Amino acid sequence: MKPPRFDYHAPASVEEALGLLVRYGGEAKVLAGGQSLMPLLNFRLSRPAALVDLNRIAALAYIREQNGHVAFGAMTRQRAIEFSPVVKTKLPLLTEATQWVGHLPIRSRGTIGGSIAHADPSAEYPAVLTALDGDVVVRGPRGERTLKPADLFQTYLTTSLEADEILTEVRLPAMPARAGYAFEEFARRHGDFAIVGVAAMVALDGGRVREARLATAGAGPVPVRLRAAEDILVKEGVDERALEAAAVRAAELVTPDSDLHATAAYRTNLTRVLTQRALVRAVARARGGA
Ligand SMILES: Cc1cc2nc3c(=O)[nH]c(=O)nc-3n(C[C@H](O)[C@H](O)[C@H](O)COP(=O)(O)OP(=O)(O)OC[C@H]3O[C@@H](n4cnc5c(N)ncnc54)[C@H](O)[C@@H]3O)c2cc1C
C-alpha cells in the first residue's frame, strides 16, 4: 500500500525542525531512518499531516566520548555504532547488541534515536539503555530535558516524548574496564525482532561482584531492569548456584503478555534461560575468558 498524503520538510537545524513541529500542532512526525515509520505509513497505521525529516541535520550524527560516558547524536546510524572503535572499547555490550538489530540494510538507515523513540519493547537499544541506566536528551519548544529510561518508556511503542519534542542525544556511561558483558536473544529467524532478549554486564573485583546489570527486551510492554536479580549476584557472587538463582529471580520479575509470537509463560521461561546464558558468558569475559 502507499502512504496517505503528507507534507514533507527537510530542515537543516534542530531549531528549524522544532519550529515545524510546533507549526503542525502535534500532527507532524519526525522521520529518522524510516525503518519503522515508513512501514507504519504504508500500512496507514499512522497518518501524520507532515514528515519532518532529520536526515539533513548533520549536527545530530556523532559519537563522542566525554566525562566517563559516550554520547550519541540521535541520527547516528546503527551501522556506525556497530563499527565504532570507541563503542567497542567503552560499550562492548552495545556493539554486541547492535549485531542483533534487523539486517545490514536496516542498520545502515536505522538510527539510535529512532530506535529509542519508537520504543518497541522487543528492540535491543532500549534494553541496553535500561541496563546501563543511560540518559536521553530531549529538546522542545519549552527547552531541554534529560530523561532516565524509567521516565521515558511508558508502554508498547509509547514514550513520554511530546509530539513537539525531538530526542537529540543518547548518553551511556562507559562500562567499567574489564567488565564482562553479553546480549542474548531468541528470535525465530536471524534479524527478526527478539521474542525475548537479555542484556547483561558483570564487573568483578577479585572474587566479588562489584557491579551487575541486567535488563530485558520483549518480556513486557517496556524494558525491565532486573534489580533484584542483580542484587543476588552482588550478595552471592558468580558461582553456578548464584547464576541460577539470579536467572530464576529474573523470571519472577517480568510480566510479559501473550501475543501472536509467544505466550506469556514461554517469554517468562525464556527470560530465565537467556539470563542464565548471558550471565555465564558475561562472567567468563569478566574473568578474562572468551
Ligand atoms: C525487517 C525489519 C526488522 C527489524 N528488526 C529489528 C530488530 O531486530 N531490532 C530492532 O531494534 N529494530 C529492528 N527494526 C527496526 C529498526 O531498528 C528501526 O531502525 C528503528 O526501530 C527505528 O529507527 P529509525 O531511525 O528507522 O526511525 P524511524 O522509523 O524514522 O522512526 C521511528 C519512530 O520514532 C520517531 N523518531 C525517530 N527519531 C526521532 C527523534 N530523534 N526524536 C523523536 N522522535 C523520533 C518517529 O517519528 C517514528 O515515530 C527492524 C526493522 C525492519 C524493517
Side-chain angles (χ1 to χ4, degrees), residues 29-30 32-37 78 102 106 110-111 114-115 123-124 167 191 193:
K29 276 220 158 267
V30 160
Q35 298 304 296
S36 297
L37 183 56
Q78 295 152 357
I106 290 157
T111 64
S115 176
E124 291 79 8
L167 192 165
F193 272 103

Side-chain angles (χ1 to χ4, degrees), residues 228-265:
E230 297 169 1
D231 291 345
I232 291 177
L233 301 170
V234 172
K235 282 192 200 120
E236 298 182 17
V238 288
D239 64 15
E240 206 178 318
R241 243 191 32 200
L243 299 195
E244 197 178 327
V248 168
R249 189 78 186 97
E252 291 166 356
L253 295 171
V254 296
T255 46
D257 293 315
S258 297
D259 63 17
L260 207 62
H261 305 291
T263 62

Side-chain angles (χ1 to χ4, degrees), residues 29-40 54 60 74-75 77-78 100-103 106 109-118 120 122-126 161 165-168 185 191-194:
K29 276 220 158 267
V30 160
L31 173 68
Q35 298 304 296
S36 297
L37 183 56
M38 293 319 293
L40 287 176
L54 302 183
L60 278 180
M75 287 300 290
R77 308 285 169 190
Q78 295 152 357
W100 287 101
V101 177
H103 307 276
I106 290 157
R109 293 296 304 163
T111 64
I112 187 168
S115 176
I116 288 172
H118 190 57
D120 190 307
S122 292
E124 291 79 8
Y125 282 180
L161 287 185
E165 287 183 314
I166 294 176
L167 192 165
T168 54
E185 111 169 25
D192 282 1
F193 272 103

Side-chain angles (χ1 to χ4, degrees), residues 34-103:
Q35 298 304 296
S36 297
L37 183 56
M38 293 319 293
L40 287 176
L41 259 60
N42 287 341
F43 282 116
R44 305 203 168 199
L45 294 169
S46 177
R47 295 168 169 268
L51 290 189
V52 176
D53 185 348
L54 302 183
N55 283 277
R56 297 213 185 135
I57 309 183
L60 278 180
Y62 55 83
I63 300 175
R64 281 183 207 136
E65 191 192 344
Q66 53 198 36
N67 308 328
H69 67 257
V70 183
F72 299 89
M75 287 300 290
T76 307
R77 308 285 169 190
Q78 295 152 357
R79 193 80 175 144
I81 293 171
E82 186 177 357
F83 287 101
S84 159
V86 172
V87 177
K88 179 132 193 61
T89 314
K90 301 291 172 187
L91 292 167
L93 175 63
L94 186 66
T95 306
E96 184 162 305
T98 304
Q99 290 157 3
W100 287 101
V101 177
H103 307 276

